[in-house]
Each structure stands twice: as structure tokens, then as C-alpha cells.
Amino acid sequence: MKPIEEKPLKSASFFDALIPIAVLICLLGAAVYLFGDDSSSGPNQIALLFATFAAALIGLKNGYTWKKLEDAMIEGITLSLSAILILLMVGALIGTWLLSGTVPTLIYYGLQIINPSWFYAASCLICGIVAMSIGSSWTTAATIGVALLGVASGLGLEPTVTAGAVISGAYFGDKLSPLSETTNLAPAVAGADLFEHIHHMLWTTVPSFVIALIIFVFMGFNATAAGEAGQIDQITAILQQNFNIGLEMLVPLIVLLVLAIRKMPAFPAISIGAVIGAVWALLFQSDLIASQIDMTQGEFVGYFKLVWTTFFDGFTISTGDTKMDSLLSGGGMSGMLTTTWLIMTALMFGAIMEKTGLLDIFVKSILKIAKSTGSLIASTIATCIGTNIIAADQYIAIVVPGRMFKEEYKKRGLKPVNLSRTLEDGGTITSPLIPWNTCGAYMQSVLLINPFDYALYAFFNLINPFLAVIYAYLGIKILRIKPKQTA
């Protein structure tokens, strides 16, 4: 039997590239209009699937076989498996840390020491320090971020603003940490040195963070009257009635931070943190567990079953106060399955767009108008943001534009650190602002706030790209390759 001859591949046109984008934008808009905050619980995934089918049809028209397109989708999903493993274990960690009293203790002490007038700025700064120490915005948001939202509830402050402060701090610290995956990925793609890359980022990152802190301080002063002493006393009383509160409950958090600082990979570190949370629950929250278990199968089996359930289905408590029940319940791997579904469909779409050359068309069109250094850097940032929207993953938003613009930066005599910094200013920073992006979906699953709601208050993430563009057009800290001197 003769092998099937493959058709010659046709170059995709600009119109070809617009079709799946138009399908995606229309369907995502319809999802938000019809389903509102629930759009990420299924409607967005369906929108991404249909957009993927549209891109696949363009690929088939241009000569790609279904096998090649399918392989590209599988490869795209494969790239997300490590993130999915981390995501599932974070769900388990949140559940065990609620049961162990770790999160309730963070909320309790937070209510004692944090004043409403500087709460937003303090939240941003705390998350920045933690994320810089451990190199993970995801872990920071899932631990410190969740606790800070609980404190905000107790102080009567806006949860959307708090989420914006958490995101701002988490991504500031993540961006400047040598332990961060994206901080290592960007210079690797651009061909720059890691620590030269971090040093070069300081010029756009630190001023953006300072401006964000000033805004949060101003907003905090205006929110001083929002916190009610009676409400805080009521919340702390509920926490003390239902949990054993003490500094020893923070041991799971301390262990996780130490493991992260010692550069243990995220998945085993978070797994250990979740297991220690379960052990701490058995050691210190026996009264709480006793009130939750089914004694018909025996005390030991009841304890074991409840802790096991917490890993996969989270923790639920009934305090008599519906707001506190919502605050102190959650977690579990099952709660992350919708986000996992969103990540998989987003990466399928991004993989098809890259495989069929549809993403490349936009970049080539951009380069035709990017004549100056300022317009080149602005175009790179716009491409990173567009890739975050289209391909829905921050890693793709760093790798794809990095590969496409690398030679152009070199031709124009620009040092690789200019490109690596720009990839972070446009790719890393904007990823959590997009609900269907892997980072946006993750943050929504952890903080339980839609990225469309907190995006307006993630001031660092909004300011940084604009400041980078201003620097580019003014020629501030744009490093050029020195010509080799001839003897």
C-alpha cells in the first residue's frame, strides 16, 4: 500500500489569522454577557474549544493533516501538566490548611495587627516579600493571599481591591525572584544573563511598584472608616470558638516557605505543606474534627475519612454565620477541576494558532510598522499581551514573542536584556488579568474573585507595561551592543 502523500502547506493569510480570533472574541463576549461571573465555569471553555476548531479548519485548508494538528494540541496540553499538578495540590493544601487552623490563625492575627488605613499597601508589600523569597506568585496568592482576603472581610474592606493588592505584590516579587520560572525563562529565550536580566528589570519594575503602593496607601486612608470594631470582635470570637488559634498553627506555612527558599520544586513542596497541614489538623484541631465526623464507623475511621476528604473535596464548616462559613470553607482538588479544564482548552487553542503559523502572521504585520526602538519595544509588549489573550498562557506569551523578536533586536543593536525585560513587562505581568489565561483562571479559583473585577485594582500589573513603553520612547535604560573595536 502506498503511503498517503501530504499536500504542500499553504501560507496562512492575515484573513485566515483573523477568523479564529474573531470566533474567540465573539464567543467570549457572549459567555460573559450570558453567564456573567460564571463564564469561567464552562462557557469560556466551550468558546475556546470552538475557536480551536476554527483554527484547525484553517490549518486543514492550508494543507495540515489532522494528525499534525492533534499532535500540536496534545503537545500544548503536555506543557501544562506541571502547572496542573501544582494547581491540584494547591487545592489540597488550602483544604488542609483550613482544617488545621493555619489560615484561620493568619486571619486572626491579621485582624489584630493590621490597621484598615494601610491594609491595602501592607497586603501588597507582604505578598511582594513572600513571592520574592519563594519565587512563586501562585503559592503566595494561595496562602498569604487567601488569608489577607479573610482579614479584609473582617475589616470591612473591599475584596476586589485586596485581590488587586495581592496580585500586584505577588507578581512584583515573582518577577524579581531568581527562583521564579518566568524570571529564568525570559532571559533564556532572549539569550541574556539571569542576574543582568533581573538588574535591568529593576528600572521599570521598582518605580511601577512604588507608584502602586502610593495608590494603595491613598485608597487605604479613604477606607479607614470601613472597619467596624464590633464586626472584628465577632469574627475573632467565631475563629476562637471553632479553631485552636496559636502561633504553632503557622508551622505548615513556615515549612513551605523554607522549602521554597531552599529551591525545592513547587509540586513536592506544596505536597509536603498539604500533608503537614493534615497532620497539624489531627494534632491541634481534634475538637473541630470530632464535631465533623460520622461516628458510626468508629472514631479512628471517622478522623481518617474526614482528613482524606479534605484533600480531594476541601473543608466545610458551619459556624452559624454564612459569611464566615464561606470564608472558612473551600479547597480540595475537586475545586480545581474547572480551572484545569480551562487551562487545557486554552493551551489547545494556543498550540493550534502557533502550529498553523497564525500567530506569526500578527508579529510580521507588527514589524512592518515598528520602525523605531520605542515602537519595537511597544510592539513586543503588545504582542505579549495579545498572546496572553489569544494563546492564554504566560509561558507561551514569553516564548513565542521571544523567538519571533530575538533576531530583530539583534539586527538593531539592542542587548538581549532589552528583550528579556520587555517579555516580562508584557507577558508575565498581564497574564493574571485575563480570566481565560492559565494565570487568571488560577487566581480566580484561589481568590474566588473574577479577574475582570480585580484587574482594575492590580495597579502594578497595569502600570508596569505602560512605564516600559514610556522608557522605550524616551530612550531610558535602553542598552545597546557596543561595536567591537578593531586593532
Side-chain angles (χ1 to χ4, degrees), residues 116-125 157-158 161-162 165 216-217 219-220 223:
S117 62
W118 46 273
F119 174 76
Y120 297 138
S123 298
C124 184
L125 189 60
L157 297 173
E158 284 293 331
V161 180
T162 304
F216 283 127
V217 168
M219 294 185 71

Side-chain angles (χ1 to χ4, degrees), residues 175-257:
K175 189 182 179 190
L176 292 183
S177 174
L179 306 179
S180 168
E181 291 179 348
T182 54
T183 308
N184 283 272
L185 180 61
V189 171
D193 175 75
L194 171 62
F195 290 100
E196 188 179 356
H197 163 68
I198 293 173
H199 181 267
H200 197 53
M201 281 198 299
L202 293 173
W203 293 97
T204 55
T205 305
V206 173
S208 301
F209 189 65
V210 170
I211 294 170
L213 282 177
I214 292 172
I215 296 173
F216 283 127
V217 168
F218 178 77
M219 294 185 71
F221 284 143
N222 286 341
T224 301
E228 299 177 6
Q231 183 184 19
I232 295 172
D233 291 340
Q234 182 182 358
I235 290 174
T236 54
I238 290 174
L239 291 172
Q240 289 178 313
Q241 288 168 8
N242 290 275
F243 298 90
N244 286 326
I245 302 294
L247 293 175
E248 64 273 18
M249 305 308 164
L250 301 180
V251 169
L253 172 62
I254 294 170
V255 170
L256 178 60
L257 293 178

